[in-house]
Amino acid sequence: MSGYFGSYAMVVVLFLVGMAIFAGGLFVNRMLRPNRPTPEKLTTYECGVDPVGEGWAQSQIRYYVFTYLYVVFAVDAVFLFPWATVFAAPGYGVTTLVEMFVFLGFIALGILYAWRKRVLGWT
């Protein structure tokens, strides 16, 4: 297993060995475990509580807004780190600074809007 494809062949062999160990463990577990299904064991449950009512439940829109705000802050962080590395490079000083303040202004407007709508209060 030398040459260009030798390292790829080694990765494939190790992957296959890992898959064989994983599949073998599942197979041995299936052969050794007891299998006595009853209607009570096959019932859907959550946290040990029997299900009551329908399976569909409505959730509050507030949780979706929290998710959206998290995405906004994550995107903000994704753009801030590369900006910090490019800022010191020659030719990017003032232009990059202005662009980043415009970007942060949009982020600040989003935070201000969320604050005015009382979304940021955790109740």
Side-chain angles (χ1 to χ4, degrees):
M1 285 195 183
S2 62
Y4 181 74
F5 293 107
S7 58
Y8 290 111
M10 183 58 72
V11 170
V12 170
V13 167
L14 288 175
F15 179 76
L16 292 175
V17 167
M19 289 299 291
I21 291 172
F22 181 75
L26 288 177
F27 179 73
V28 168
N29 183 25
R30 187 171 193 79
M31 292 296 116
L32 294 179
R33 70 178 179 174
N35 187 15
R36 297 182 199 98
T38 63
E40 291 156 349
K41 289 182 182 178
L42 298 175
T43 303
T44 304
Y45 68 96
E46 183 174 341
C47 300
V49 179
D50 291 332
V52 177
E54 297 181 22
W56 186 81
Q58 199 171 14
S59 59
Q60 296 182 6
I61 190 69
R62 179 174 61 204
Y63 300 118
Y64 296 110
V65 175
F66 285 135
T67 304
Y68 178 70
L69 288 174
Y70 170 76
V71 169
V72 167
F73 288 128
V75 168
D76 182 28
V78 165
F79 282 116
L80 281 176
F81 286 118
W83 172 78
T85 59
V86 170
F87 181 68
Y92 289 102
V94 177
T95 305
T96 306
L97 186 64
V98 170
E99 288 175 354
M100 188 47 62
F101 275 115
V102 168
F103 176 72
L104 290 176
F106 282 118
I107 297 295
L109 279 175
I111 294 171
L112 182 65
Y113 177 78
W115 180 67
R116 296 273 304 192
K117 292 290 186 180
R118 299 184 188 270
V119 172
L120 298 178
W122 187 265
T123 56

